Amino acid sequence: MSHPDPARPHEHEEVEKSKVRTAHAEHVEPEKGPHAPKEINPKMSSDIHYWAKEFGVTGDQLHEAIRVHGTHVEKVRAALSHHK
């Protein structure tokens, strides 16, 4: 087996140099809605995140409101609006 010519770059180096690298587009996650529009599922982190943001409260505050008032969106909304 002969030794590679040191003046000639390795094949993989030529391939790497030929690749044009461009910046990737920023990944923007679309706003996800709730699992159900009228009920909050406290076991789904996406629901807690969505409704906490919607009501302007923390996840803990939302969990407490759900514990006391149930999972119906309007009942939780009414309960949390009194705390503002």
Side-chain angles (χ1 to χ4, degrees):
M1 178 174 213
S2 65
H3 293 287
D5 181 356
R8 190 170 151 230
H10 294 284
E11 185 176 316
H12 71 274
E13 290 174 354
E14 289 176 0
V15 171
E16 286 298 316
K17 288 178 183 177
S18 69
K19 290 181 182 177
V20 177
R21 302 200 189 260
T22 58
H24 292 287
E26 181 179 345
H27 178 72
V28 178
E29 190 71 30
E31 280 294 317
K32 293 183 180 178
H35 179 70
K38 295 185 180 189
E39 292 291 325
I40 303 169
N41 184 341
K43 294 181 180 180
M44 291 185 67
S45 62
S46 59
D47 268 19
I48 296 300
H49 178 77
Y50 175 86
W51 288 112
K53 185 176 177 182
E54 181 73 18
F55 298 144
V57 297
T58 67
D60 288 339
Q61 291 170 316
L62 180 58
H63 273 289
E64 180 63 16
I66 291 169
R67 187 184 70 76
V68 174
H69 301 284
T71 60
H72 193 271
V73 170
E74 292 309 316
K75 288 182 180 180
V76 174
R77 184 188 312 273
L80 291 172
S81 69
H82 292 117
H83 293 291
K84 289 184 179 183

